[in-house]
Amino acid sequence: QVQLVESGGGLVQAGGSLRLSCAASGSIVSINDMGWYRQAPGKQRELVARITSGGSTKYADSVKGRFTISRDNAKNTVYLQMNSLKPEDTAVYLCNVEFKPYYSGNYYFSWGQGTLVTVSS
């Protein structure tokens, strides 16, 4: 079993900043990619940013230059620093982790429960 605990969401005015965290714990041997997705009401879930175990990153075009993803491998934690927030960034943000458990040689994906980010205009 793997648990993902997210924190850092909330209400912020347009132009403001928030920092999301997602800590993975449980039967983990190693973690490959870690990422953040978001889902706004009535819309499909979309990738916001991903980071590999080596630190390579990928961002959605809509957040490039405003959001920064990072990770602390010692803590099995991924962060999302969100600056210059816009009302259209309002969504539930979910972390996603690709991990290998002690009980298997395969990698699996796990999702966090989501944290709500609301940006007011």
Side-chain angles (χ1 to χ4, degrees):
Q1 294 288 343
V2 172
Q3 296 79 41
L4 300 181
V5 178
E6 299 157 337
S7 60
L11 173 64
V12 64
Q13 288 188 330
S17 298
L18 284 174
R19 188 188 193 217
L20 306 182
S21 300
C22 174
S25 63
S27 304
I28 299 172
V29 172
S30 62
I31 295 177
N32 277 346
D33 289 8
M34 306 179 84
W36 289 96
Y37 291 72
R38 67 186 181 188
Q39 188 162 19
K43 294 188 177 181
Q44 289 189 330
R45 186 173 298 182
E46 63 174 358
L47 171 71
V48 177
R50 289 195 69 84
I51 184 167
T52 69
S53 57
S56 297
T57 58
K58 176 181 179 179
Y59 294 93
D61 288 342
S62 59
V63 307
K64 283 181 181 176
R66 300 188 297 122
F67 291 10
T68 302
I69 190 170
S70 61
R71 63 191 283 172
D72 184 333
N73 291 329
K75 296 181 179 180
N76 287 343
T77 299
V78 61
Y79 305 96
L80 186 68
Q81 177 66 45
M82 305 185 293
N83 298 328
S84 302
L85 282 160
K86 305 175 180 180
E88 51 264 42
D89 294 318
T90 295
V92 173
Y93 285 70
L94 306 102
C95 75
N96 177 263
V97 170
E98 184 184 16
F99 71 98
K100 183 164 70 175
Y102 286 109
Y103 52 81
S104 173
N106 298 322
Y107 278 87
Y108 300 88
F109 289 95
S110 182
W111 289 92
Q113 80 284 359
T115 185
L116 178 62
V117 171
T118 304
V119 184
S120 63
S121 58

